[in-house]
Amino acid sequence: MPFLGQDWRSPGWRWVKTEDGWKQCEAFSPATEDGNNQLNDISHTVILTGDDEDEEIYSTEDCELAAKKRKKAHFRNNTDSQCFYREKWIYVHKESTRERHGYCTLGEAFNRLDFSSAIQDIRRFNYVVKLLQLIAKSQLTSLSGAAQKNYFNILDKIVRKVMEDQYNPRLIKDLLQDLSSTLCILIRGVGKSVLVGNINIWICRLETILLWQQQLKNLQMNKQVNNGLTLSDLPLHMLNNILYRFSDGWDIITLGQVTPTLYMLSEDRQLWKKLCQYHFAEKQFCRHLIPSEKGHIDWKLMYFALQKYYPIKEQYGDTLHFCRHCSILFWKDTGHPCTASDPNTCLMPVSPQHFIDLFKF
């Protein structure tokens, strides 16, 4: 019986079953052959053999079998292999229809949206890390085996990037701490009943996480060579303006440890008051008033007290977007095949928590 695609009205395209699922066949093109051992999932019917370049015709079944064997060999030889897709978007459907069977899962979306490339973009780095942290806390067992493998491969790339660029190690430490805590509970508690794969693989992954934590703990920040104007050379009003641009209290404290001048500016009551007003409502202030020794409100302590009870506003340089007209999730830079007359009116930014909620049924 011939295989029918997700759309049963498909106009006769041929499909090939791969380890990533069913993929549509395309015409063979020599440009798709790469000398760097990349994946080639195209089923072609004409293969050149021999030194005299004679053509030998194989059946379609033989070509499909050869392509499948070649791809399996690639996955055996490359443990860091990822799932690659041409489209960097995914249709989010929550019900079965005659045209589309099944549901869009969290693991499928995680594989399709190319987070490996997103972490190389500084605008998206914090967004992806926060998303991985939310998955580690509650949705790790919702990922398929391929998505879990992809998850840890991306995490490995993140740790390497932090070790090389020394960018935001505190954020990665929090992610690894949440992930290790979750794995300890799953391995010691329910174990095999929820984790996809051999339990020994997960123990090995937990050991790798502990190794990453130790590496980040021993990370030494490189000292910059002063070749010209530095942060300390800026006037006070510019330094104060920089501090007012921060939306994270820990970033203000970290910057205040650089010089005595920055420490003085980071302790400004008005700065912390503005930060509290940005993240929290006035009704929340009344429930957690913390007066100082002089009788004034200690806005710095207030910020960290409120942070324990209420979520703070999140800011990201770039986020995933959801098209309400097409029900497609995508990165705004890559776009998607929208059919709306005015696509910009249909776009909605998606926070990391919203991304998780999209796939809860």
Side-chain angles (χ1 to χ4, degrees), residues 12-25:
W13 293 105
R14 291 192 55 80
W15 294 79
V16 177
K17 186 175 182 180
T18 68
E19 294 197 8
D20 296 332
W22 288 91
K23 292 191 176 182
Q24 183 178 308
C25 293

Side-chain angles (χ1 to χ4, degrees), residues 92-211:
V92 181
H93 52 107
K94 296 187 176 183
E95 58 183 7
S96 295
T97 64
R98 294 175 65 184
E99 291 80 11
R100 292 183 177 272
H101 177 68
Y103 301 88
C104 178
T105 64
L106 175 63
E108 184 181 358
F110 187 81
N111 282 343
R112 288 286 296 272
L113 291 171
D114 193 23
F115 290 111
S116 294
S117 300
I119 62 175
Q120 304 303 325
D121 190 335
I122 194 172
R123 300 172 303 164
R124 300 174 180 173
F125 183 83
N126 290 0
Y127 182 89
V128 176
V129 172
K130 181 63 176 179
L131 178 59
L132 263 62
Q133 187 174 13
L134 291 176
I135 293 176
K137 287 181 177 181
S138 60
Q139 301 296 321
L140 190 61
T141 56
S142 300
L143 300 179
S144 64
Q148 288 176 358
K149 183 178 180 180
N150 198 10
Y151 180 96
F152 282 93
N153 286 335
I154 293 173
L155 187 58
D156 180 43
K157 291 182 179 181
I158 290 176
V159 174
R160 292 181 186 178
K161 181 177 177 60
V162 173
M163 296 296 294
E164 294 173 0
D165 301 342
Q166 301 178 346
Y167 177 74
N168 210 345
R170 178 174 58 84
L171 190 64
I172 313 305
K173 290 179 181 178
D174 294 341
L175 165 60
L176 294 178
Q177 181 60 41
D178 292 335
L179 183 57
S180 62
S181 300
T182 301
L183 284 183
C184 286
I185 295 174
L186 293 176
I187 292 175
R188 295 174 182 174
V190 287
K192 296 180 181 179
S193 62
V194 296
L195 294 175
V196 178
N198 192 295
I199 193 68
N200 294 325
I201 296 178
W202 287 98
I203 294 176
C204 182
R205 287 173 175 171
L206 181 59
E207 293 175 351
T208 303
I209 294 172
L210 297 177
L211 177 61

Side-chain angles (χ1 to χ4, degrees), residues 63 228 286 292 302 349:
C63 295
C286 301
S292 63
M302 173 81 79

Side-chain angles (χ1 to χ4, degrees), residues 31 156 163 178 185 223 289 297 310 354:
D156 180 43
M163 296 296 294
D178 292 335
I185 295 174
K223 293 183 178 180
L289 288 176
I297 297 178
Y310 310 103
H354 187 195

